[in-house]
Amino acid sequence: MSQPILVAEALSSGYGKFQVLFDVSFRVYENEILAVVGPNGSGKSTLLKTVFGLTTIYSGSVIYRGRDITRLPPYVKARIGVAYLPQTDNVFAELTVKENLLMAAYTLEENEARDRIEEVLNLYPVLKERLSYKARSLSGGERQMLALAMTLVRRPDIIMLDEPTANLAPVVARHLLKKISMLRDEMKKTIVLVEQNARAALELGDRALLMVSGRVSYEGPSKSLLQDVELGKRYLGLR
Ligand SMILES: Nc1ncnc2c1ncn2[C@@H]1O[C@H](COP(=O)(O)OP(=O)(O)O)[C@@H](O)[C@H]1O
Ligand SMILES: [Mg+2]
């Protein structure tokens, strides 16, 4: 297997004094999809936020490409290639698609920005037809696509996605998950995917992390978790 690009070691974190994660360790390998699954409230979102620097970390560490980034602020993490896409409010609703993309590219030099926006529009051609539409008027699927495109403009190496398919119709959700697997296969990105639909996530993922009550209950191949009747039934509603 390839090198781990990100290593979380014994992370304990929460919100102020309210502890949510207990001693959470896991690895993310280069160019894989790590599917993070688990019941509601088990700490999946908190895990992503902790890696990105949006929670209170009591102990433990986050190592990215061999460098301790535990206490770096989110904007620095973003700058060195770590992207985090929150579940909601991930686009500027009152701005047009084009303006959203320009916002995502605002730190870049003009030609560079133009090239990268062109690049992501080729990846998500549906956005090309919507350039002058306000983000608020997009369908749920298009809006997630825009959020992904904005993330990609910054050329991250590792992308953490929090339930990108929430509230999408099944066919739209499948389409989006396919786009996400293309990021791994064609753009060689590394992806941490939190998904409510455990089966879809485990079918897509290379490896999986099962969170239960703020702790890691399983880390390993996705397929093994998918076939683990006991864990699947108990925590993921799989039969
Ligand atoms: N901003 C917050 N402030 C305080 N507690 C929170 C906050 N966000 C989540 N929690 C709590 O953290 C726990 C885990 O939540 P979360 O990480 O959102 O779980 P999941 O994403 O697996 O559904 C829950 O008990 C939730 O109530
Ligand atoms: Mg969540």
Side-chain angles (χ1 to χ4, degrees):
M1 201 178 288
S2 56
Q3 288 295 310
I5 180 169
L6 189 114
V7 178
E9 254 162 21
L11 281 173
S12 290
S13 69
Y15 303 92
K17 286 182 183 166
F18 182 67
Q19 185 167 359
V20 176
L21 297 188
F22 299 83
D23 216 20
V24 167
S25 300
F26 62 92
R27 285 160 182 249
V28 190
Y29 291 92
E30 196 129 30
N31 197 215
E32 76 169 351
I33 294 181
L34 176 72
V36 181
V37 295
N40 249 332
S42 59
K44 303 181 298 297
S45 296
T46 302
L47 183 150
L48 297 192
K49 286 190 241 174
T50 297
V51 169
F52 201 58
L54 298 169
T55 60
T56 314
I57 299 179
Y58 315 126
S59 59
S61 55
V62 181
I63 311 291
Y64 171 65
R65 296 193 183 286
R67 169 179 177 192
D68 190 330
I69 62 161
T70 317
R71 306 202 179 263
L72 292 183
Y75 74 91
V76 178
K77 292 180 179 171
R79 205 185 282 156
I80 60 176
V82 180
Y84 161 64
L85 208 60
Q87 187 174 346
T88 54
D89 301 324
N90 50 22
V91 299
F92 300 103
E94 296 307 319
L95 299 185
T96 65
V97 167
K98 179 150 191 216
E99 288 163 345
N100 268 282
L101 291 168
L102 287 169
M103 286 295 282
Y106 87 104
T107 55
L108 304 172
E109 191 253 322
E110 201 179 323
N111 287 336
E112 183 72 20
R114 195 180 317 118
D115 287 354
R116 292 200 193 183
I117 288 173
E118 179 75 32
E119 186 182 285
V120 296
L121 286 175
N122 288 333
L123 224 48
Y124 305 126
V126 63
L127 296 177
K128 243 188 230 180
E129 298 153 25
R130 303 272 189 277
L131 281 176
S132 59
Y133 289 41
K134 287 201 172 170
R136 118 171 99 70
S137 71
L138 299 177
S139 70
E142 290 166 351
R143 202 183 297 200
Q144 288 301 333
M145 217 88 91
L146 173 59
L148 255 187
M150 290 170 70
T151 300
L152 289 172
V153 161
R154 291 179 289 255
R155 295 224 177 114
D157 293 328
I158 178 166
I159 309 172
M160 303 187 289
L161 303 166
D162 197 351
E163 298 200 28
T165 68
N167 306 319
L168 298 183
V171 57
V172 180
R174 265 199 300 281
H175 178 66
L176 190 67
L177 289 177
K178 191 148 178 224
K179 292 281 183 192
I180 290 169
S181 66
M182 281 169 62
L183 295 179
R184 170 193 59 190
D185 300 335
E186 287 168 28
M187 304 193 65
K188 303 298 165 207
K189 303 289 184 195
T190 303
I191 291 163
V192 182
L193 175 68
V194 170
E195 251 296 324
Q196 201 44 242
N197 183 340
R199 181 175 297 281
L202 295 177
E203 279 169 357
L204 191 72
D206 300 286
R207 292 188 325 114
L209 195 69
L210 170 63
M211 296 295 297
V212 178
S213 307
R215 296 171 202 273
V216 176
S217 283
Y218 172 91
E219 180 185 8
S222 283
K223 299 291 176 293
S224 315
L225 183 55
L226 201 53
Q227 284 153 12
D228 191 316
V229 177
E230 173 74 11
L231 285 178
K233 220 157 116 181
R234 202 146 142 210
Y235 299 117
L236 301 173
L238 300 173
R239 278 160 293 129

